[in-house]
Amino acid sequence: NAADLDLSKSMISWVGKKAVVDSKHMGNVKFKSGSLEIKDGKLTGGSAVADMNTINATDLEGEWKGKLEGHLKNDDFFKVGKYPTASFKATSVKAQGDNKYKVTGDLKILDATNSVDVVLTQKGKEFTGDLTINRTKWGLKYGSGSFFKSLGDKAIADDIALELKLV
């Protein structure tokens, strides 16, 4: 049985850091749609679509918040005009003990798709999990020290930490 996500409660939280100096930004992205496949009370699959137009920064206010959000939405990063969504489709789900599942699936950002793993923990109707992705695998190279050696302390770390909340 497919259970649709509660779009008002489900979200992806993100943290991006500078590579050298201790500086970071954080925010979230809302889902456009999604569902979890549940059989006999156990997670067996699922898919979700994130609305990249909703990406925001929660650690900033005013002008700087607007600048960072514009930067994330423009051609430097997520190109939301051309790619308004990112998506995930589970390819395998393995139960791992009490209320934990290792989910492997295809994460599509921009025009690239890569396999990722995330362990989800179930509490009632809520599933939570953390994963870290190397953004350059999806062509998100802006500010990457891996590609631009002259950036120094302006380099942005390639890894982005994501926290999932699926309700």
Side-chain angles (χ1 to χ4, degrees):
N1 292 337
D4 287 339
L5 291 183
D6 180 335
L7 300 179
S8 67
K9 295 178 181 166
S10 301
M11 74 166 71
I12 305 162
S13 301
W14 58 268
V15 178
K17 298 182 177 178
K18 292 276 179 81
V20 184
V21 294
D22 188 18
S23 163
K24 66 183 179 182
H25 289 300
M26 61 196 65
N28 54 55
V29 180
K30 292 187 176 1
F31 288 102
K32 183 175 185 178
S33 63
S35 65
L36 299 176
E37 302 286 333
I38 311 275
K39 187 175 178 185
D40 300 326
K42 302 282 186 198
L43 182 68
T44 58
S47 61
V49 176
D51 180 353
M52 296 308 295
N53 281 291
T54 67
I55 193 166
N56 70 19
T58 53
D59 64 318
L60 295 171
E61 291 178 8
E63 182 184 358
W64 288 105
K65 176 178 171 71
K67 280 185 175 173
L68 178 59
E69 290 170 2
H71 185 43
L72 291 169
K73 291 176 187 179
N74 74 18
D75 284 356
D76 289 338
F77 281 103
F78 293 105
K79 304 179 171 113
V80 298
K82 186 173 181 187
Y83 302 101
T85 61
S87 62
F88 177 84
K89 173 94 175 104
T91 54
S92 111
V93 178
K94 295 186 174 112
Q96 294 199 315
D98 284 348
N99 302 319
K100 285 194 186 300
Y101 301 90
K102 181 181 178 187
V103 180
T104 301
D106 293 328
L107 177 60
K108 183 172 194 251
I109 303 173
L110 303 178
D111 56 5
T113 302
N114 290 285
S115 181
V116 297
D117 294 323
V118 60
V119 174
L120 293 179
T121 301
Q122 180 179 6
K123 285 185 186 153
K125 292 187 174 185
E126 184 173 297
F127 293 82
T128 55
D130 302 291
L131 73 153
T132 299
I133 62 168
N134 180 328
R135 64 191 175 91
T136 63
K137 286 185 177 177
W138 286 268
L140 296 165
K141 296 178 181 174
Y142 182 89
S144 169
S146 304
F147 292 88
F148 305 101
K149 299 296 181 205
S150 60
L151 290 167
D153 65 5
K154 290 189 173 47
I156 302 165
D158 291 343
D159 286 346
I160 303 174
L162 302 176
E163 188 178 300
L164 305 177
K165 181 177 169 189
L166 308 170
V167 182

